[in-house]
Amino acid sequence: MLSRKFWLPRPLFSLFLALLWLLLVNDFSVAHTLLGLALGVAIPAVTHAFWPEEARIKRPLPLLRYVLVLLVDILRSNLVVALRILRPARHLQPGFFLYPLTLDDDFAITILASTISLTPGTVSLHYDAKAQTLLVHALHLEDEADTIATIRERYEQPLKEIFR
């Protein structure tokens, strides 16, 4: 007999996919709801073999704090980037820098790289597993050490707390 893990390997992800489908089609009819639920069950079931092991969140309260900090930073960065773009180009100082990682969990590193890319004005470009670094591009890079310290304090340290 097939277990629940076979049919519904990631229940929250399945629910997320169903809701995402309804938002994308912008139609909350019964047919689209059933199609969204079918996609929410089928996609994780078909791709389950390619997924790494499940991340174990040890402390959910710091995760909630992390998400709130990220949302505030995204809003603030959107305003800063908009102002910088509206000014003449001579005020921009784009640059690349290597961010030295202290995280050792692959899932936490992926979350950190995604967080950097979600925040307007920065994007993570490359993860070097041997050197334990992320290559990051910033739209405006005044002080590399300050930017690294900010990422470490606002994102990497909370991720260590969440996934330790």
Side-chain angles (χ1 to χ4, degrees):
M1 180 163 176
L2 296 175
S3 69
R4 180 202 63 88
K5 276 285 207 193
F6 177 79
W7 289 106
L8 208 56
R10 309 256 189 220
L12 290 176
F13 185 59
S14 295
L15 181 62
F16 169 75
L17 288 174
L19 291 173
L20 183 64
W21 174 258
L22 291 174
L23 291 172
L24 286 173
V25 296
N26 199 22
D27 182 9
F28 296 94
S29 67
V30 173
H32 277 292
T33 302
L34 290 174
L35 181 57
L37 289 171
L39 289 170
V41 170
I43 291 171
V46 170
T47 62
H48 181 68
F50 302 105
W51 288 41
E53 70 280 349
E54 287 188 38
R56 301 282 182 225
I57 296 172
K58 307 289 192 284
R59 305 188 58 205
L61 188 58
L63 177 63
L64 180 61
R65 244 189 337 245
Y66 183 84
V67 169
L68 291 174
V69 166
L70 178 61
L71 290 174
V72 168
D73 285 353
I74 288 172
L75 288 172
R76 186 177 343 131
S77 295
N78 271 308
L79 294 173
V80 169
V81 167
L83 288 173
R84 288 211 168 109
I85 289 174
L86 293 174
R87 291 182 188 162
R90 67 179 180 273
H91 293 289
L92 289 178
Q93 297 174 346
F96 292 93
F97 64 94
L98 284 175
Y99 179 80
L101 293 165
T102 59
L103 291 169
D104 56 2
D105 180 79
D106 287 341
F107 188 71
I109 292 169
T110 302
I111 296 294
L112 178 63
S114 298
T115 297
I116 291 169
S117 294
L118 278 171
T119 309
T122 56
V123 63
S124 58
L125 301 167
H126 178 69
Y127 167 58
D128 187 343
K130 288 182 182 176
Q132 280 298 101
T133 59
L134 280 176
L135 176 63
V136 178
H137 179 268
L139 181 65
H140 186 73
L141 183 63
E142 288 179 15
D143 184 5
E144 181 178 327
D146 184 50
T147 304
I148 289 172
T150 301
I151 291 171
R152 189 165 320 284
E153 177 188 323
R154 293 188 71 78
Y155 306 126
E156 191 173 19
Q157 291 300 330
L159 285 173
K160 277 185 172 181
E161 188 178 339
I162 292 166
F163 291 105
R164 69 172 139 152

